[in-house]
Amino acid sequence: MSSKNKLIINCATSHVSVADFSVSAGRLVLESFSVQELSYDYSAQDEWLYALKAALSSMKVKGHATIVAPSMLLLTKTIKVPHVAKASQREVVSFEVAKNIPYALDEVVWDYQVVADDGIETEIFLASMRLSEADDLCNTLASIGITVDSIDASSVLDYNAWKYCGLDADSIVLNVGAKFSNMIIVRDDGMFVRSIPAGGNVVTQSIADSLGQGFVGAEELKRRFIASESVGVVEPERFEVGADLLKKRICDELRRSIVNYRRQSRVNPPTKIYLTGAGSRLNGLAEYLMENLKMNIEYVDPTAMLSVSRKVNQTLLSDNVSRMSEVVGEAARMLSPDAMGVNLLPQHIINERAFAKKRPVFVLAAALLAASVVPPFLYLTKSVELNKKFTRMFDDKAPEYVERAEIYKKEKAQAEKLLGKINGLEGLARSKSNWIELFIDLENRLMEQKDVWLENLRVVRVNDGKVQKYNLELTGRLLIRDYNPDDPTAYDHNKGSARVRDLLNSFVKSEFIQKFDNVRTDPSDPRILKFDFTLVVDPKKPI
């Protein structure tokens, strides 16, 4: 028994894949599969949509499709709400959405999925996307002949793939991408989801910083190195520094997430990690996680449970097994409509589609209405002939109307000019998301340093006549644990200053910060070292 096909487009950060699925005898059938790398600077998110459009155009993809949105466009969170009847559940969740999303509700499109319910509390997976970004995605795809039926969040689909493949419960499914990594702790009765702001781009940025060249060139060197094609082009040490940094960051985030999971759920900790995603093939990642987290590691092959059509290029499919979990997870919803997933398609587009289905009825009604006025129209024609003299009177007024039309034309040109200026502000609006990434980055670096906190942050705008620059003026304090009040001369206050310097050096490694300046410390309190400094923001990453 077969079902209607489902076209799934996985719009990842670094590539786009297109898969066509059907169902036969209770099993997913992969009817066709294609993939193409996106050609753009991965550090410039604004270029992603243009690269996606170019890739899908060259792949000649058309028709209705389900879109898998990348983590970089999403805000996801797992929250708990009081248990209520299903009819009232969305109203309760919307109240929590307003508290957990840093945008007004009319600026986002959001949806949720029930993860677990014990009759007292309901655990919710919440996903949201900026409405403007969802509209841009739908409009861009529509311009090349793709009709978006739904937009799902990549963060949750690995759960469906895990369930479809029959993998072990109480495990972690870790999908390592280019810019973000998705982590799901899976269990039989639900899941715990977290998006980790680290991926293969960490390695690329490290190579770029080391060689002093652009991100695009560093990405090419990284791929050639992984494919063992760059011998003599880049030293292994330059690659390994970034690889080690990525391994450590992912390991630290996993350890922190497991602790939070145990605090919230009070259930058995995960004992195994399933790796997927293109970044999971990083040399030594599995061994590093196994050694530091003391957990078993396995790679996921989500295609093992698929029936594959002969039309599919087997070599291409094998080369992209690590990129298939999200696609298979979305396709699994064909077998189980209540499987995990959300729909971030804007409501106004859903309403337009519903109206389009009723349009033929409206057209028929309009035709009948038009036919009903034909007899009166014939009768009135004779009256019109008798009143032609009034037409001449209106013709005399025509020059006045022409003059008004010219005025309206000039006003329209002025309005279009103002509209262009308004559109120019959209880039500024998009930069709001940089604040979120900056604060996450600062928080991670503060946690690595330990016993240090920031008290104040002030944004200072500096205009040198060419470009708008931003400085961040911050004040903070450092706790000195090894100070002995009984022997105050034994402690070297330079140690505290050195720790502050280490913190500032780590800030400079952020993609948002160029340098630090105006560092001052106040050691008047032997237990608390006060300090203040200025961070100079990179003009290419405005906040």
Side-chain angles (χ1 to χ4, degrees):
M1 180 178 179
S2 62
S3 67
K4 186 178 179 181
N5 286 23
K6 182 175 185 178
L7 184 66
I8 301 172
I9 302 177
N10 185 13
C11 303
T13 302
S14 60
H15 73 281
V16 58
S17 63
V18 181
D20 188 23
F21 284 91
S22 65
V23 174
S24 179
R27 188 182 179 94
L28 290 175
V29 180
L30 181 60
E31 301 289 354
S32 66
F33 176 74
S34 58
V35 63
Q36 184 165 320
E37 303 296 328
L38 299 184
S39 178
Y40 75 104
D41 183 348
Y42 295 163
S43 64
Q45 184 173 322
D46 291 345
E47 299 179 10
W48 172 78
L49 193 56
Y50 302 104
L52 177 67
K53 178 180 179 180
L56 289 173
S57 297
S58 66
M59 297 166 76
K60 295 181 171 53
V61 182
K62 304 286 184 182
H64 289 257
T66 295
I67 304 301
V68 179
S71 295
M72 67 178 181
L73 298 183
L74 306 173
L75 284 175
T76 60
K77 196 168 187 179
T78 302
I79 60 176
K80 290 185 178 181
V81 299
H83 171 80
V84 295
K86 191 172 183 179
S88 305
Q89 193 175 75
R90 189 170 184 87
E91 182 179 353
V92 174
V93 174
S94 66
F95 177 76
E96 295 296 329
V97 170
K99 296 192 300 182
N100 286 278
I101 295 181
Y103 303 107
L105 288 184
D106 59 357
E107 295 180 3
V108 299
V109 54
W110 61 272
D111 197 8
Y112 70 96
Q113 172 71 55
V114 175
V115 174
D117 193 331
D118 60 6
I120 300 175
E121 285 187 317
T122 303
E123 193 171 351
I124 297 293
F125 167 75
L126 174 65
S128 65
M129 180 190 297
R130 293 291 300 277
L131 178 60
S132 58
E133 293 179 338
D135 282 337
D136 288 345
L137 178 60
C138 292
N139 293 336
T140 298
L141 297 183
S143 69
I144 56 176
I146 299 174
T147 301
V148 179
D149 289 336
S150 65
I151 302 176
D152 211 335
S154 60
S155 314
V156 74
L157 296 179
D158 289 323
Y159 178 86
N160 297 338
W162 162 81
K163 198 166 187 177
Y164 177 71
C165 294
L167 304 179
D168 295 339
D170 294 323
S171 301
I172 295 176
V173 179
L174 178 63
N175 190 325
V176 185
K179 195 171 184 179
F180 286 83
S181 297
N182 292 325
M183 184 213 75
I184 303 179
I185 299 179
V186 291
R187 57 181 191 265
D188 290 329
D189 63 341
M191 62 181 179
F192 175 84
V193 185
R194 183 161 181 258
S195 183
I196 299 173
N201 284 0
V202 172
V203 181
T204 306
Q205 190 62 56
S206 176
I207 295 175
D209 294 341
S210 176
L211 297 178
Q213 64 173 255
F215 195 92
V216 176
E219 177 68 20
E220 178 64 23
L221 286 176
K222 182 186 74 173
R223 293 186 179 185
R224 290 172 58 189
F225 188 91
I226 294 175
S228 300
E229 296 176 358
S230 63
V231 176
V233 177
V234 56
E235 299 86 345
E237 293 79 6
R238 298 184 186 274
F239 177 84
E240 291 169 358
V241 168
D244 291 342
L245 178 61
L246 176 60
K247 294 174 191 175
K248 183 179 184 305
R249 185 174 297 179
I250 289 178
C251 183
D252 291 344
E253 293 290 347
L254 287 178
R255 185 179 288 111
R256 186 180 299 116
S257 298
I258 293 171
V259 171
N260 291 336
Y261 171 72
R262 290 298 308 279
R263 289 174 179 171
Q264 295 179 22
S265 303
R266 297 181 181 177
V267 294
N268 296 330
T271 58
K272 180 185 291 186
I273 297 178
Y274 290 105
L275 288 178
T276 185
S280 67
R281 299 296 175 176
L282 179 67
N283 185 33
L285 175 61
E287 293 78 3
Y288 185 90
L289 296 179
M290 182 182 299
E291 178 181 353
N292 285 273
L293 298 177
K294 309 303 179 186
M295 300 172 69
N296 295 326
I297 308 293
E298 289 186 20
Y299 285 94
V300 179
D301 181 4
T303 65
M305 300 298 293
L306 299 179
S307 296
V308 182
S309 169
R310 293 182 179 179
K311 296 182 294 183
V312 175
N313 186 324
Q314 297 293 333
T315 301
L316 179 66
L317 182 61
S318 298
D319 291 342
N320 289 275
V321 164
S322 60
R323 293 173 165 177
M324 290 294 293
S325 62
E326 293 156 338
V327 176
V328 173
E330 178 60 40
R333 302 182 69 188
M334 301 172 69
L335 298 174
S336 178
D338 59 347
M340 296 292 180
V342 295
N343 186 5
L344 301 179
L345 188 66
Q347 187 61 43
H348 71 87
I349 295 180
I350 296 176
N351 295 339
E352 290 169 5
R353 302 272 174 83
F355 177 78
K357 292 180 180 179
K358 299 178 181 178
R359 189 171 294 152
V361 178
F362 295 148
V363 171
L364 178 60
L368 293 175
L369 180 62
S372 67
V373 301
V374 170
F377 175 77
L378 295 176
Y379 173 79
L380 291 173
T381 300
K382 185 175 181 180
S383 298
V384 171
E385 291 293 327
L386 296 175
N387 292 298
K388 284 185 177 181
K389 62 180 181 178
F390 292 102
T391 304
R392 298 189 190 95
M393 180 179 66
F394 289 119
D395 288 342
D396 293 337
K397 293 281 188 178
E400 177 183 348
Y401 297 143
V402 171
E403 181 180 356
R404 291 184 181 181
E406 289 295 325
I407 295 175
Y408 295 152
K409 184 177 179 181
K410 293 179 181 178
E411 291 179 346
K412 179 183 177 182
Q414 184 178 3
E416 290 176 346
K417 184 177 180 180
L418 294 174
L419 181 61
K421 294 181 178 180
I422 293 173
N423 291 336
L425 297 175
E426 290 183 355
L428 179 60
R430 294 192 186 100
S431 69
K432 289 183 178 179
S433 62
N434 287 346
W435 272 110
I436 299 174
E437 295 185 35
L438 174 60
F439 284 140
I440 291 174
D441 197 3
L442 294 181
E443 179 186 11
N444 290 337
R445 300 179 189 280
L446 287 171
M447 294 180 68
E448 292 176 355
Q449 186 64 35
K450 297 180 180 179
D451 296 333
V452 61
W453 64 95
L454 298 179
E455 295 182 320
N456 293 301
L457 184 151
R458 187 168 74 95
V459 179
V460 178
R461 291 173 171 82
V462 180
N463 193 331
D464 62 0
K466 296 181 179 179
V467 64
Q468 184 78 20
K469 297 183 179 180
Y470 300 84
N471 293 341
L472 302 180
E473 295 182 354
L474 302 99
T475 62
R477 300 191 182 192
L478 173 69
L479 176 62
I480 301 175
R481 291 182 178 273
D482 53 351
Y483 173 79
N484 184 359
D486 296 329
D487 188 11
T489 60
Y491 179 74
D492 183 4
H493 289 281
N494 291 328
K495 293 182 179 179
S497 299
R499 289 181 57 194
V500 172
R501 182 71 59 173
D502 291 341
L503 175 63
L504 297 181
N505 287 331
S506 71
F507 283 162
V508 174
K509 295 179 182 178
S510 170
E511 62 179 329
F512 297 95
I513 305 302
Q514 273 190 337
K515 64 179 181 177
F516 61 84
D517 200 359
N518 299 330
V519 181
R520 295 181 297 181
T521 59
D522 179 10
S524 58
D525 187 339
R527 298 303 302 271
I528 302 293
L529 177 62
K530 299 179 181 179
F531 60 88
D532 59 81
F533 56 93
T534 300
L535 295 180
V536 180
V537 178
D538 188 345
K540 297 179 181 178
K541 300 288 289 185
I543 58 175

